[in-house]
Amino acid sequence: MHITVKGISEGQPIPGQFAFAVPHAEDHMALSDNRNPQVTWEDAPEGTRSFAVVVVDPDVPSDASNVNQEGKTLDEEMPRVDFYHWLLVDIPAEVGEIAEGEDSDGVTPRGKSTGQVKKGVRGANDYTDFMAGDPDMKGVYGGYDGPCPPWNDERLHHYTFTVYALDVPTLGLDGDFRGPDVMKAMEGHILDRASVTGTYTLKANV
């Protein structure tokens, strides 16, 4: 299989239009366009009955105590965990593209819906947890929401866009399912996959 994420090249910085936030000289960060990039794929194997698109950042600090705290930095070597930015499953086998802005076009306070959309079924990304303590932003964040790594993080974050070709028409997931739910449901059903990884930081000199 082959995947193309328009505007994102392997190992290169992700454009700010696809991010949740961009650097800001005075406030460290400002909300951005938060548009999902165009994702296209081809050369799926015979027997493909559906696709799933997953975006994950494996560089998120496991301890959020000092995230975005003045006078503190997050050491590059501190323990890290996965943060899922996009979960779209049960994409019909005849679909080969998600258009730019189709799944996200701007930051939506309190999130977006999960469940059935035009080209598949949305899960809940991990902003659902990250925003839980903010009364103005808390909610369930369905679909795509782009990069917003801590502005005091010494580590460059990596965002891997993967399309999976599956041998089942549906993963049978519903409600506000999460990244680990998708990964578990796909076990034994992946015929092929293709990925591209971009980078992003809000900290100068990283």
Side-chain angles (χ1 to χ4, degrees):
M1 284 184 67
H2 297 89
I3 184 174
T4 301
V5 182
K6 189 175 182 180
I8 299 176
S9 300
E10 183 66 32
Q12 298 302 306
I14 293 172
Q17 72 202 67
F18 304 134
F20 194 91
V22 291
H24 186 278
E26 297 176 359
D27 300 325
H28 299 294
M29 67 180 189
L31 296 180
S32 189
D33 296 332
N34 198 43
R35 291 172 63 83
N36 71 274
Q38 179 194 56
V39 182
T40 58
W41 57 91
E42 56 189 359
D43 301 327
E46 186 176 350
T48 297
R49 302 186 68 191
S50 71
F51 297 101
V53 171
V54 175
V55 178
V56 63
D57 168 12
D59 298 314
V60 171
S62 60
D63 180 356
S65 303
N66 294 326
V67 164
N68 296 339
Q69 298 295 309
E70 293 284 358
K72 298 181 179 180
T73 58
L74 305 175
D75 186 80
E76 185 177 1
E77 300 305 320
M78 71 182 296
R80 306 287 168 151
V81 296
D82 291 340
F83 187 107
Y84 289 90
H85 283 262
W86 198 5
L87 303 166
L88 188 64
V89 305
D90 297 359
I91 302 170
E94 64 271 16
V95 173
E97 175 192 12
I98 307 297
E100 179 178 328
E102 183 173 353
D103 200 61
S104 179
D105 188 9
V107 172
T108 305
R110 301 184 180 276
K112 301 186 294 295
S113 63
T114 55
Q116 186 70 50
V117 291
K118 183 178 179 181
K119 292 182 180 176
V121 177
R122 281 174 170 172
N125 68 53
D126 286 342
Y127 280 99
T128 302
D129 300 321
F130 185 73
M131 296 297 186
D134 186 335
D136 296 322
M137 296 293 286
K138 66 180 180 180
V140 176
Y141 282 72
Y144 177 87
D145 284 294
C148 184
W151 49 256
N152 61 339
D153 199 345
E154 298 285 352
R155 180 180 289 200
L156 182 66
H157 284 232
H158 298 77
Y159 300 81
T160 299
F161 291 72
T162 304
V163 58
Y164 296 88
L166 307 172
D167 66 359
V168 289
T170 176
L171 292 177
L173 298 171
D174 56 19
D176 300 331
F177 61 86
R178 309 299 295 273
D181 301 320
V182 174
M183 304 313 293
K184 182 174 179 58
M186 290 195 298
E187 289 179 2
H189 297 293
I190 299 171
L191 298 174
D192 202 356
R193 71 191 76 186
S195 300
V196 64
T197 300
T199 63
Y200 201 75
T201 182
L202 291 173
K203 191 175 190 302
N205 304 318
V206 169

